[in-house]
Amino acid sequence: MSVGIGNIATIYSNANIDIQPNSISIPIFRCSKSHQSCVFCDEKDSCSAKVLSRIQRTMIFLKCGVFVAAGSRCCTSHLCEDELTIKSFDHIRVSKPDRWKIDIRTILFKQKKFDFDDPSCFSDEGYQAIVGLSKEQFNYLVNTVSSMRNSHVRSVRVAVAVFLAKLRLGLSNRVLAVLFNLENKRVVSHINNRVRKALMKDFVPYHLGLKHITRETAIEEHQTTIAAILHTNKPDQLCVIADTTYLFIQKSRSYQVKQAISYIQEHLTPSSLYDDEPEFIVELSSNDDNIVRARFSSRHINKKTYVTIIQHGIKNIEQPITGWYCTCRSGRRDVGCCVHVAALLWHLGVCRAEIDLNNHPLPTSNIYLEIIDSIQFYDVQTSDDEDVTTDDEI
């Protein structure tokens, strides 16, 4: 049956409903407003009755759809260890419905969101605080990541924001999953790994390093006339000035580095080759010269031993460390590394390596020529005493 506009107006008029364009009216059932009787059984025993807490009143509303006013009471027979019993919800007494007027637009405008898909969600100061970039810089970075696509889990904007927030704030993957409304910490780990690869492909080659700009472009667009007159004596000669006034080189205050040094010191053993000299045992692979391994005893559990593995590339000068893994709880990080990996890297790069500017990095085989008692590398044998992580712990 069709109903015209005039009929609709008549229906509203007969229903005696106050129509307001900015709000809606919702019927809500409620209990009696009297605070002298129990909301479940209507008993009036002021001695044994207890006032319902805000949490208990909220549970009644969620389970029964009945509003209970503040100060309402119930008998102790409906409670078990200060919690409402399951049967009590079936006996809630409903008085009559009230009509609540709700301004939907005001609620939506006041709703606070943590959503990088909405450009108006954060101010420029908010972008700086969370990702360390201005809103304009963040938008430019997102547009450069052309190899990533939106998925049903996250958009490209959210993925880049998660990665930058991880770098700037140092929050755990579990906390980031809650903030960005992601399923779990494994999703955050996968996002960070995906964004890192996309930035290395789409952003780094065009904005960082000497290879991101040609010699001709540097001369034509970045070399001033004064610099060419003062520092060049040939046409088309490139002038590069490096100002190191504010280049600070100081001892690292990182807690992880200090802890890594102590880990190596704790695992030093007397050398069987040289008297009165300690040694740290590093195992070499018999099949791959680019893989080394070391063992670290747990500081908290005596029977537990963690196996730390590092893979490096001899020919990869820009990024010699190509992979790492440890059997401890945080050994499979995509961003950063655990203290065991940091300890082994510190031992290889600081304690043992002699830097050769003409041939850097040095092959591992040259570093460990003096270690005679290094055992052959074999497949990792995990036992019940070893703490091996799974994807659920990432």
Side-chain angles (χ1 to χ4, degrees), residues 144-209:
T144 59
V145 187
S146 58
S147 62
M148 290 190 66
R149 297 291 184 269
N150 296 332
S151 69
H152 68 282
V153 177
R154 84 299 177 273
S155 64
V156 177
R157 291 182 62 88
V158 171
V160 175
V162 170
F163 180 79
L164 295 179
K166 178 72 174 182
L167 296 180
R168 177 171 176 78
L169 305 178
L171 299 176
S172 65
N173 291 349
R174 190 188 303 275
V175 175
L176 290 174
V178 174
L179 291 178
F180 288 89
N181 196 25
L182 299 172
E183 184 176 356
N184 51 48
K185 57 185 179 181
R186 287 181 296 173
V187 176
V188 176
S189 178
H190 177 74
I191 289 175
N192 288 332
N193 186 41
R194 185 69 183 87
V195 174
R196 179 179 61 84
K197 293 180 179 179
L199 290 176
M200 291 298 297
K201 178 182 179 181
D202 302 328
F203 182 84
V204 173
Y206 305 100
H207 297 83
L208 299 175

Side-chain angles (χ1 to χ4, degrees), residues 20 42 44 61 66 71 82 87-88 117 130 147 163 181 254 282 304 364 376:
Q20 297 181 4
D42 203 21
K44 297 182 179 180
F61 182 78
V66 179
D82 295 330
K87 294 182 179 180
S88 63
D117 286 328
I130 298 175
S147 62
F163 180 79
N181 196 25
S254 172
V282 178
K304 187 167 293 185
T364 306
Q376 293 293 325

